[in-house]
Amino acid sequence: MRAALAQAKKGLGKTSPNPAVGAVLVNSNRIIGRGYHRQAGGDHAEVDCLRKLAGPVPHSAILYVTLEPCSTRGRTAPCANYIIERDVRSVVIGTIDPNPQHRGRAVKLLRAGSVDVTTGILEQDCARLNEAFNKWIVTGEPFVIAKCGMSLDGHLTRPPGESQWLTSESARAHAHKLRAVVDAIIVGAETIRQDNPRLTVRSGARRVQPLRVILTKSGRLPRTAKVFCNSNRDRTLIWRNKTLRSVVRDLGRRKITSVLIEGGGDVLSQALDQRLVDKVQIYIAPIFTGGSVLAFGGKGAPSTERSIRLESMSYKRIGEDICVIGYSKPANNSTSA
């Protein structure tokens, strides 16, 4: 299953609105076939894997797949049927399809076709791989990641006239990788005015650039900004006088499964106040700056009990900076300090 996960990761950022899925075919403890889903509309991982095999599938072979095979016809034929047609006798599934309309259906089809099915192998790893798809397919809303680089006292900027960067070049390179796996990037108008970012993926293979989403109250944006002038200008959308929640919901209706909020402080604060954040990825620099631009300001929680709490925390040192990653707990799991 770990080998299948390695295959699935090759499709991250390229398959939306479909999930990233990997598959391997094993016979006599040796991998004889590998496959993954490359893009929406293309072969699914199971088909990609089995079609590479010359000749019939050995009866003793086991197909490992990270996500329950599809059971209905969409852009492609049902993978469950193809598995049965290829006379695969045994299938091991990492996690069940989270789509309520399809959940468990392929397992029943395969077993009805005399296929031995095992489920729940490395289930958490397989589910976490598609955390954005899992939320979107159930709720219709994208998975929201809040990312920023801030000082130790929680600010986003240096004093006026100095470099805009707080974190190191290595930390910024690490953070930049997030853009390659999301469907859209959200920033506020002030970020466009002050930083003039391109908001593009500039390393690694990607099928299309993420949408650049700009929130503005006045509508006054510099027409010479990089997001309006480069080759990806048609991937830029502007929302004026709209709440962040309404924008996120609209993006979900556009089949955007994942959103990265890059700033500035006003947009990050809105995300916190409106409880839209599913995951945080924060880079903390060992510096105190003071100033008025807080990373997460806003109204604040009405009580400690109702504060947003994080789980599944991880911490990584990158140069002198610390990267903190965590997931928002469901509200009904919060407890007082």
Side-chain angles (χ1 to χ4, degrees), residues 318-334:
I318 304 175
E320 293 186 339
D321 306 317
I322 301 295
C323 175
V324 180
I325 299 175
Y327 294 81
S328 298
K329 282 186 178 182
N332 59 359
N333 284 346
S334 294

Side-chain angles (χ1 to χ4, degrees), residues 21-24 35-37 43-52 63-70 79-80 82-83 86 91:
V21 184
V24 295
Y36 70 97
H37 185 40
D43 285 344
H44 289 186
E46 307 91 322
V47 175
D48 183 49
C49 175
L50 294 173
R51 279 184 176 167
K52 293 176 179 176
L63 180 66
Y64 290 80
V65 59
T66 56
L67 179 66
E68 180 182 9
C70 65
C79 292
Y82 184 75
I83 291 170
R86 291 299 305 269
V91 175

Side-chain angles (χ1 to χ4, degrees), residues 31-328:
I31 295 176
I32 60 174
R34 293 177 172 86
Y36 70 97
H37 185 40
R38 287 170 169 78
Q39 65 180 54
D43 285 344
H44 289 186
E46 307 91 322
V47 175
D48 183 49
C49 175
L50 294 173
R51 279 184 176 167
K52 293 176 179 176
L53 187 69
V57 176
H59 287 173
S60 59
I62 303 172
L63 180 66
Y64 290 80
V65 59
T66 56
L67 179 66
E68 180 182 9
C70 65
S71 56
T72 58
R73 178 176 290 275
R75 297 188 191 184
T76 60
C79 292
N81 291 1
Y82 184 75
I83 291 170
I84 294 170
E85 290 169 7
R86 291 299 305 269
D87 200 23
V88 176
R89 302 294 181 87
S90 181
V91 175
V92 177
I93 297 170
T95 187
I96 300 301
D97 190 339
N99 188 335
Q101 297 180 358
H102 303 158
R103 186 176 179 84
R105 180 173 173 176
V107 173
K108 293 179 181 178
L109 286 173
L110 290 170
R111 286 173 175 163
S114 300
V115 179
D116 180 66
V117 180
T118 302
T119 63
I121 305 303
L122 295 183
E123 185 173 11
Q124 289 187 341
D125 292 340
C126 292
R128 182 57 57 84
L129 183 74
N130 288 302
E131 56 194 10
F133 171 81
N134 295 344
K135 179 188 176 184
W136 176 77
I137 199 65
V138 174
T139 68
E141 295 188 10
F143 187 84
V144 177
I145 306 169
K147 185 270 288 184
C148 68
M150 68 182 190
S151 63
L152 199 57
D153 53 342
H155 291 82
L156 290 177
T157 57
R158 286 180 179 269
E162 296 187 10
S163 168
Q164 70 185 85
W165 305 118
L166 290 169
T167 55
S168 64
E169 184 176 350
S170 57
R172 298 197 301 274
H174 186 272
H176 186 85
K177 294 176 182 179
L178 271 175
R179 292 184 182 177
V181 296
V182 297
D183 295 340
I185 302 169
I186 296 180
V187 297
E190 196 61 22
T191 295
I192 298 298
R193 297 187 191 108
Q194 297 296 325
D195 299 340
N196 194 19
R198 283 181 281 179
L199 302 179
T200 55
V201 179
R202 296 184 289 279
S203 61
R206 185 183 169 92
R207 191 165 56 88
V208 294
Q209 289 287 345
L211 284 174
R212 286 91 61 92
V213 177
I214 303 170
L215 307 185
T216 176
K217 294 178 182 177
S218 67
R220 293 190 297 272
L221 295 165
R223 304 316 300 175
T224 56
K226 293 174 182 176
V227 291
F228 301 129
C229 298
N230 61 26
S231 59
N232 297 294
R233 55 185 176 272
D234 61 334
R235 302 284 297 165
T236 302
L237 302 177
I238 301 172
W239 266 273
R240 183 178 179 185
N241 285 326
K242 298 293 184 182
T243 66
L244 182 56
R245 179 174 293 280
S246 68
V247 170
V248 168
R249 286 175 174 170
D250 189 42
L251 290 172
R253 288 190 287 269
R254 294 171 183 246
K255 296 187 177 181
I256 297 298
T257 66
S258 55
V259 166
L260 175 63
I261 298 178
E262 288 208 7
D266 181 57
V267 181
L268 290 167
S269 297
Q270 287 183 55
L272 192 66
D273 286 344
Q274 297 174 35
R275 293 183 176 265
L276 296 174
V277 178
D278 297 297
K279 179 180 180 179
V280 297
Q281 190 153 323
I282 299 173
Y283 298 81
I284 304 174
I287 182 175
F288 289 88
T289 65
S292 59
V293 185
L294 285 169
F296 295 92
K299 299 176 182 177
S303 66
T304 301
E305 185 177 15
R306 295 178 62 185
S307 297
I308 293 177
R309 295 175 181 273
L310 302 179
E311 60 186 358
S312 301
M313 300 294 297
S314 66
Y315 308 87
K316 181 177 183 179
R317 182 170 179 173
I318 304 175
E320 293 186 339
D321 306 317
I322 301 295
C323 175
V324 180
I325 299 175
Y327 294 81
S328 298

